[in-house]
Amino acid sequence: MSRPIEDYALIGDTHTAALVGRDGSIDWLCLPRFDSGACFSALLGEPKHGRWLLTPAGGAPSRVRRRYRPETLILETELITPEGVVRLVDCMPPRDRVPDVLRLVEGVKGQVRMRMELIIRFDYGAVVPWVTKEDGALHAVAGPDALILHTPVALHGRGLTTVAEFTVSEGQRVPFLLRWHPSHEPPPPALEVETAVEDTEAWWREWSSRCVYGNGPWREAVHTSLRVLKALTYAPTGGIVAAATTSLPERLGGVRNWDYRFCWLRDATFTLYALMLSGFREEAAAWRDWLLRSVAGDPAKLQIMYGVAGERRLTESSLEWLPGYEHSQPVRTGNAAVHQFQLDVFGELMDALHQSRRVGITTDRRAWKLTQVLMDWLESGWKRPDEGIWEVRGPKQHFTHSKVMAWVAFDRAVRAVEGYGLEGPVERWRRIRDTLHAEVCEHAWDSRLGAFTQAYGSGSLDASLLLMPIVGFLPPGDPRMVGTVSAIERELMHGGLVRRYHTSTTGDGLPAGEGVFLACSFWLADNYVLQGRMDEARALFHRLLDLRNDVGLLSEEYDPDEKRLLGNFPQAFSHVGIVNTAFNLTEHLTSPAEHRQSFNGS
């Protein structure tokens, strides 16, 4: 059996990230980038597919306590045994030249015999490296990859695994340093682990101190979520991946297993909003710049997602040798949805740039020329059906959310001219904006349901409709929005949380069944705030916060019946929801309507 997703914690260096289990095992790590091949893939298979375990030699601990050091992403795991207590300190220092994983075993109480097991398997568990000992360090090499393990502990091999046993007493510290480097280059020198941990702590504390959400009622949740977003940032370019993992299932044993180690344009609006709202203008500007570089080119070939450096070719393939998380197959790398046409990304792009201008992150004239070209194409392109926000692998439709976001694109283009003195055919854009608004209100409204529907004439509901008042398409108190929210509460709620849509009735090209999508529940809480339903908003927000694991992390989805997290982990979209909804609810803000101005274009 795989460990529950909620048993994992994240460490990262703003280039890649690792998942550390409650048992002291690092079961997922891709080097040197988020989207590189994994050297530890036990998360999606078995220990033989790669992991790094540090655990008491006498058996599983009787109790485990975990936390992040305050204001950092340094993980501390206390393993409590009959013989004593050991603390594991795990982190990845912000990248200089090569990625490092630091592990420090500290004796807290008594004397505990410890066991280490290191199984390195490059290329997602497929490649066994050649392992040697040189100059007191362990070297593992295969193809382009090389790893070096530095530790004072005596190591030896056993069945293609590196193992060790050692004793740690109260007050003693035993360091481990794992460094990656390209195999054709000389190995980098070792770091002093305890000093590197102290430097990493100082770096995170300085970064966290810039957050403007001070002592609000949800300070811990907001700050943790912002550190997750920072950890999911690819520092060289400013891109932010959707999650650190691939193929964690949306249904256990199912096929809805996708690679999320890429940057989605639709995340831009919400991520930018969360970063700017929290005072992180530098990260917001870097994300904006990544956005402009990535989308440059033929507007007809605008993609929904890109690689962390703006790569466009994200070929999807299956890793047949991995059995998958709890036998959820296939295990995928790449994402075929990159080839889909999704109309909504034009609106998300324009809204992201609009938000940037509102807080003084200027867009130069060259960037505006690029967006003008995109808008020229959209003047006719908005009429096309698409695959929609949820990347359905069924027939294209005229999805309501897609048309609403096309309206957002023209609305923000108009506001760029009216409010910021940029040039463009504003009268034509106004006419198209009005045409889109009228069309959505006519063709997406179902009087029988008393609600807007997922697509024109579909008769089905969709949680993306909750974004209509958030982006300013209709006022939150409009009777049609009140009716739509009521219908979603009635038809899409499960266990007090919101499904994206009914997979059994929507032709998404896949077998039915998935968990509730957590971002949608945050959108419902935002709608409650906008409608003045504050008690319900707080209750739903607290329900969502209660789903976090013991170190404050959320995945993409949740199974209310099995009470388990589902989907890729940790999920940026879910943590963006925590930040944005917490700010909406915070009592010192003047009003919900004023707070949401960046979404409605005011």
Side-chain angles (χ1 to χ4, degrees):
M1 285 289 292
S2 303
R3 296 196 66 83
I5 292 170
E6 50 267 31
D7 275 7
Y8 287 99
L10 178 79
I11 58 174
D13 66 356
T14 69
H15 287 65
T16 190
L19 294 187
V20 187
R22 287 176 60 86
D23 60 348
S25 181
I26 298 178
D27 288 349
W28 181 253
L29 175 61
C30 300
L31 295 172
R33 300 193 337 178
F34 290 105
D35 54 352
S36 300
C39 61
F40 301 142
S41 301
L43 178 72
L44 300 177
E46 304 171 36
K48 69 179 182 180
H49 296 111
R51 73 168 181 178
W52 186 9
L53 174 69
L54 284 167
T55 191
S62 57
R63 201 149 53 95
V64 176
R65 293 192 299 240
R66 297 191 300 179
R67 68 162 193 164
Y68 286 118
R69 284 188 185 174
E71 307 302 322
T72 78
L73 212 65
I74 298 174
L75 179 68
E76 295 185 338
T77 304
E78 286 195 354
L79 308 173
I80 301 166
T81 76
E83 293 74 32
V85 179
V86 170
R87 179 185 298 119
L88 304 182
V89 179
D90 290 310
C91 67
M92 297 181 71
R95 184 82 59 92
D96 52 8
R97 188 168 71 87
V98 298
D100 305 296
V101 179
L102 310 179
R103 311 199 77 180
L104 193 60
V105 183
E106 299 180 341
V108 177
K109 182 180 179 182
Q111 189 177 75
V112 180
R113 189 74 178 161
M114 295 292 292
R115 176 170 63 91
M116 190 210 77
E117 179 183 279
L118 176 65
I119 305 174
I120 299 171
R121 297 292 184 267
F122 293 119
D123 194 22
Y124 303 102
V127 177
V128 179
W130 182 260
V131 178
T132 58
K133 290 182 182 177
E134 302 175 29
D135 301 322
L138 185 86
H139 294 249
V141 177
D145 298 298
L147 281 170
I148 308 172
L149 176 64
H150 296 275
T151 181
V153 172
L155 307 172
H156 62 278
R158 181 191 301 154
L160 301 179
T161 299
T162 300
V163 297
E165 287 202 8
F166 59 98
T167 299
V168 60
S169 302
E170 183 174 339
Q172 185 181 5
R173 294 180 177 87
V174 181
F176 295 83
L177 166 65
L178 190 69
R179 309 202 83 185
W180 177 94
H181 69 96
S183 60
H184 65 279
E185 295 182 0
L191 297 175
E192 205 289 312
V193 170
E194 292 191 49
T195 300
V197 171
E198 291 172 1
D199 291 344
T200 302
E201 180 173 10
W203 186 91
W204 276 108
R205 284 182 176 274
E206 188 283 326
W207 185 85
S208 297
S209 70
R210 291 154 46 197
C211 181
V212 300
Y213 191 94
N215 295 314
W218 299 286
R219 184 183 189 280
E220 176 271 332
V222 169
H223 280 234
T224 298
S225 294
L226 288 165
R227 285 191 290 275
V228 169
L229 294 180
K230 180 64 173 177
L232 295 177
T233 299
Y234 185 65
T237 66
I240 301 177
V241 298
T245 57
T246 179
S247 301
L248 290 180
E250 296 168 10
R251 181 183 185 183
L252 295 178
V255 300
R256 296 173 183 263
N257 318 317
W258 315 113
D259 193 347
Y260 274 18
R261 298 170 299 158
F262 307 116
C263 307
W264 267 255
L265 293 194
R266 73 169 47 89
D267 295 8
T269 297
F270 289 92
T271 304
L272 271 170
Y273 184 57
L275 290 171
M276 291 186 295
L277 198 61
S278 305
F280 295 104
R281 288 169 54 95
E282 181 180 331
E283 285 76 11
W287 179 222
R288 190 280 316 270
D289 292 343
W290 172 90
L291 200 62
L292 291 170
R293 291 192 304 270
S294 297
V295 305
D298 183 353
K301 295 182 179 178
L302 181 68
Q303 297 183 181
I304 66 166
M305 72 179 87
Y306 297 86
V308 293
E311 297 90 348
R312 296 179 177 231
R313 189 178 301 141
L314 310 176
T315 304
E316 184 175 304
S317 59
S318 297
L319 308 182
E320 305 297 341
W321 61 89
L322 284 175
Y325 181 88
E326 294 206 10
H327 302 286
S328 304
Q329 293 183 318
V331 172
R332 295 180 171 96
T333 61
N335 200 311
V338 71
H339 302 298
Q340 291 188 350
F341 171 59
Q342 295 181 19
L343 181 63
D344 63 300
V345 298
F346 289 88
E348 281 129 13
L349 170 63
M350 294 299 292
D351 200 23
L353 297 177
H354 174 73
Q355 291 185 46
S356 299
R357 285 189 291 268
R358 285 193 67 250
V359 298
I361 300 175
T362 59
T363 301
D364 62 31
R365 295 287 170 173
R366 289 173 298 174
W368 178 244
K369 288 290 185 185
L370 169 63
T371 55
Q372 282 182 300
V373 172
L374 293 172
M375 294 304 300
D376 288 345
W377 185 89
L378 191 60
E379 288 185 21
S380 59
W382 71 265
K383 300 175 183 178
R384 296 172 53 185
D386 74 331
E387 278 95 351
I389 182 175
W390 306 127
E391 301 168 7
V392 299
R393 300 197 175 195
K396 293 180 180 179
Q397 300 182 58
H398 291 285
F399 285 102
T400 302
H401 174 263
S402 298
K403 303 300 186 185
V404 167
M405 293 309 295
W407 174 90
V408 167
F410 287 103
D411 180 75
R412 299 331 185 235
V414 168
R415 293 179 186 275
V417 175
E418 292 177 339
Y420 297 93
L422 298 172
E423 297 178 356
V426 66
E427 291 300 329
R428 191 161 73 239
W429 288 343
R430 283 197 194 98
R431 287 196 299 271
I432 297 173
R433 180 182 64 177
D434 294 344
T435 298
L436 264 164
H437 199 281
E439 180 180 292
V440 169
C441 290
E442 179 181 357
H443 295 292
W445 175 255
D446 188 316
S447 56
R448 180 184 58 85
L449 285 174
F452 288 103
T453 57
Q454 181 183 59
Y456 290 178
S458 72
S460 299
L461 290 166
D462 191 304
S464 64
L465 302 167
L466 293 169
L467 293 171
M468 296 173 78
I470 293 174
V471 300
F473 184 83
L474 283 174
D478 186 289
R480 292 167 294 184
M481 278 315 309
V482 173
T484 299
V485 170
S486 177
I488 288 171
E489 290 174 311
R490 185 174 63 248
E491 301 292 337
L492 292 185
M493 297 285 281
H494 177 55
L497 301 167
V498 183
R499 295 186 179 98
R500 293 188 293 177
Y501 53 86
H502 285 294
T503 58
S504 58
T505 58
T506 295
D508 63 6
L510 296 166
E514 66 170 357
V516 294
F517 196 84
L518 295 177
C520 299
S521 296
F522 287 109
W523 299 341
L524 180 59
D526 291 339
N527 272 261
Y528 287 158
V529 173
L530 291 170
Q531 292 183 3
R533 299 163 63 177
M534 300 304 297
D535 289 344
E536 292 166 281
R538 292 189 189 94
L540 179 53
F541 188 56
H542 290 152
R543 166 91 169 105
L544 287 160
L545 292 183
D546 287 344
L547 303 183
R548 297 174 301 156
N549 72 358
D550 57 326
V551 290
L553 305 185
L554 280 178
S555 64
E556 179 187 28
E557 298 191 2
Y558 181 74
D559 184 336
D561 299 322
E562 297 295 328
K563 296 181 170 46
R564 290 187 59 176
L565 294 176
L566 296 173
N568 284 303
F569 176 87
Q571 177 78 6
F573 222 172
S574 299
H575 285 279
V576 165
I578 289 176
V579 175
N580 290 346
T581 303
F583 268 96
N584 287 342
L585 286 166
T586 300
E587 295 176 357
H588 72 264
L589 294 173
T590 54
S591 72
E594 180 175 334
H595 181 56
R596 299 304 294 197
Q597 280 182 350
S598 62
F599 279 92
N600 66 30
S602 300

